[in-house]
Amino acid sequence: MKVLVVGSGGREHALCWKIASSKQVSRIFCAPGNPGTAALGENVPVDAADLDGLLDFALENNIDLTVVGPEQPLVDGLADRFREKGLPVFGPSKTGAILEGSKVFAKEFMFRHKIPTAASNTFGSRENALRFLASENAEFPVVVKADGLAAGKGVLICGDRVSAESAIETVMGKRAFGEAGDRVVLEEFLSGVEASIHIITDGKSYVLLPTAKDHKKIFDGETGPNTGGMGAVSPAPGMDASLLSRIESEIIRPFIRGLNEDGIEFRGTVFFGLMLTEKGPFVLEFNVRFGDPESQVIFPRIESDIVPVLVSAAAGKLSGKLTLKTDTAVTVVGASAGYPGSYSKGFPVDILSDFPDSAILFHAGTRIENGKLVTAGGRVLSVTGMGENRQYARKAAYDGISRVRFDGMTYRKDIAKV
Ligand code: AMP
Ligand code: GLY
């Protein structure tokens, strides 16, 4: 089988790593990929946003399965275009991808199908949003969410009215996220512990993937600005069989029923961003793709071959089970100085000779320049360690990342410490 993975981050390296271990796979391509995916297969110089280029490549090379990493190409209709040409693709069509592409749609879907989520109001104009904030119905803190995709920056948590007004100004006045800010959701603030729950589905049934938790803030102790994720752990701390079964009955099964009632076709993964509150699990957001860096802890914990599950989901006939490892996995992200703000690139990356065999290094923002590995992004790489419990897994991950060097490298010291 020939498999094409679309994307270039740590998630895509982890996907290629898992897919490459399948006996069914003879060749693996990654578009555009990174130096990590190049070591597992062949990188293809086609950008993830270039739908025509991806389609041409898949047709010319008789690709048997395409697995899409990022959300944007799905929201733009990659899966629809591939399926029109009879190409199997793991990833939802546009009508499914809108569950991530529009927060307004996602909230309406949750209210309609009684999936627990924070109370919210939607506004299509700046004036109406400001009027609501000035009214006695407004409660603080409030969460301001741009409707559309905003590269993970469209959610602003506002402690008081003044900061909420300024968030509305940013999103709807200055239009910091362009048309993603045509509408906003003002949402009740929930407190609790977050968890990332992934399923693979064909829209009718589902397979649960290992649970995970990511660490979103740049600094130790969950402080500083939000990032794409500075590390992750699987299983999610505090997740036990009874909580997971509650999540399945209150969230996952109503979600699948909702897809069917609304006639939404969905062949791919759903990543439920949850807040575990005192009142139970609530959905903060749907993602229609695997999490990053969650993938770097989820895939290493899957014992069985994932390819038959991906293939059957892509065909709309999900079958197969996944056996999971009992080990815990921890991944720690090494980032460029300045990230998530502005940062410099092009620093040589050294992986010391005593980098432990048991740790797994996943590339993200790296590139080969004049034959040398250099930094090329904010999140440069991550190192995953496994162990029989969280302490051992942490130690393995930190033993690994401490043997990677580049100018200005930063990483959190408290990933999975809890
Ligand atoms: P989202 O893109 O909706 O997952 O939001 C990004 C992050 O903002 C989440 O991972 C949470 O940390 C936070 N967040 C989103 N919605 C809420 C909420 N209603 N209450 C508290 N925190 C939230
Ligand atoms: N780590 C969170 C995400 O992938 O959205």
Side-chain angles (χ1 to χ4, degrees):
M1 242 182 99
K2 289 195 269 183
V3 179
L4 169 66
V5 172
V6 176
S8 62
R11 164 183 51 212
E12 287 76 17
H13 186 181
L15 261 170
C16 287
W17 176 86
K18 183 62 189 161
I19 291 169
S21 71
S22 169
K23 289 198 179 69
Q24 294 189 9
V25 174
S26 53
R27 284 178 84 182
I28 176 158
F29 301 93
C30 194
N34 63 38
T37 63
L40 295 167
E42 297 157 62
N43 283 352
V44 180
V46 179
D47 196 79
D50 179 3
L51 303 194
D52 292 332
L54 293 169
L55 191 59
D56 288 347
F57 178 84
L59 286 170
E60 278 163 23
N61 292 277
N62 298 314
I63 296 295
D64 299 295
L65 175 69
T66 298
V67 182
V68 186
E71 64 279 11
Q72 189 73 56
L74 294 167
V75 171
D76 293 342
L78 182 151
D80 309 68
R81 303 224 10 224
F82 271 56
R83 286 192 191 113
E84 270 165 28
K85 298 281 183 203
L87 288 166
V89 54
F90 182 84
S93 55
K94 245 182 177 177
T95 50
I98 195 157
L99 285 159
E100 176 166 0
S102 167
K103 303 260 188 213
V104 174
F105 184 91
K107 294 300 289 193
E108 286 171 356
F109 181 91
M110 287 188 264
F111 293 137
R112 189 160 60 241
H113 300 295
K114 306 201 165 38
I115 295 168
T117 187
S120 70
N121 290 287
T122 295
F123 299 93
S125 80
R126 180 170 155 268
E127 292 68 34
N128 288 348
L130 292 174
R131 195 171 310 127
F132 174 83
L133 287 173
S135 76
E136 55 193 30
N137 293 327
E139 286 179 32
F140 300 92
V142 68
V143 185
V144 177
K145 298 187 171 185
D147 176 44
L149 293 181
K153 299 198 171 85
V155 174
L156 302 151
I157 296 173
C158 306
D160 54 30
R161 178 169 292 124
V162 174
S163 63
E165 285 169 354
S166 116
I168 294 294
E169 208 43 54
T170 305
V171 177
M172 302 190 100
K174 298 192 194 114
R175 299 180 62 79
F177 313 115
E179 65 185 31
D182 283 352
R183 293 187 290 174
V184 293
V185 173
L186 296 187
E187 187 172 283
E188 168 199 10
F189 175 82
L190 299 174
S191 0
V193 176
E194 287 183 53
S196 302
I197 303 295
H198 290 69
I199 59 166
I200 287 177
T201 182
D202 60 358
K204 301 179 278 285
S205 58
Y206 66 91
V207 172
L208 207 50
L209 296 183
T211 65
K213 174 185 175 359
D214 79 344
H215 293 259
K216 287 208 170 72
K217 298 283 189 320
I218 185 74
F219 300 130
D220 284 16
E222 287 305 319
T223 54
N226 257 327
T227 70
M230 292 302 292
V233 54
S234 173
M239 190 61 63
D240 57 22
S242 86
L243 180 54
L244 201 52
S245 118
R246 191 166 171 193
I247 290 169
E248 291 193 73
S249 66
E250 293 178 13
I251 293 170
I252 301 177
R253 285 198 283 274
F255 176 86
I256 301 282
R257 262 199 308 277
L259 291 180
N260 287 286
E261 282 174 24
D262 293 356
I264 299 174
E265 196 207 42
F266 203 107
R267 303 179 192 179
T269 192
V270 186
F271 153 14
F272 300 87
L274 303 188
M275 185 70 88
L276 308 175
T277 74
E278 276 179 359
K279 288 195 208 142
F282 280 65
V283 176
L284 296 178
E285 62 165 351
F286 299 125
N287 299 291
V288 300
R289 51 166 178 89
F290 297 106
D292 186 345
E294 285 90 336
S295 296
Q296 292 91 307
V297 289
I298 288 176
F299 295 123
R301 287 199 58 230
I302 300 175
E303 182 80 58
S304 25
D305 188 350
I306 199 171
V307 171
V309 179
L310 299 175
V311 168
S312 63
K317 290 182 244 144
L318 182 68
S319 69
K321 273 199 164 163
L322 292 177
T323 324
L324 308 187
K325 294 180 187 161
T326 52
D327 274 3
T328 297
V330 169
T331 201
V332 180
V333 173
S336 298
Y339 174 79
S342 58
Y343 52 84
S344 306
K345 305 180 197 175
F347 300 114
V349 179
D350 290 322
I351 298 154
L352 305 187
S353 57
D354 59 348
F355 184 86
D357 286 340
S358 59
I360 319 168
L361 189 141
F362 291 116
H363 291 248
T366 64
R367 140 169 89 85
I368 302 287
E369 211 174 77
N370 303 323
K372 287 229 163 70
L373 188 66
V374 300
T375 64
R379 290 192 292 175
V380 175
L381 45 76
S382 72
V383 176
T384 298
M386 311 268 298
E388 64 188 52
N389 59 33
R390 208 188 302 146
Q391 284 68 35
Y392 286 123
R394 282 193 81 222
K395 184 172 182 319
Y398 280 104
D399 280 351
I401 199 139
S402 66
R403 288 167 174 87
V404 178
R405 305 275 154 84
F406 53 87
D407 247 31
M409 177 180 180
T410 63
Y411 58 89
R412 276 181 57 169
K413 308 295 182 295
D414 65 344
I415 300 300
K417 207 165 179 181
V418 188

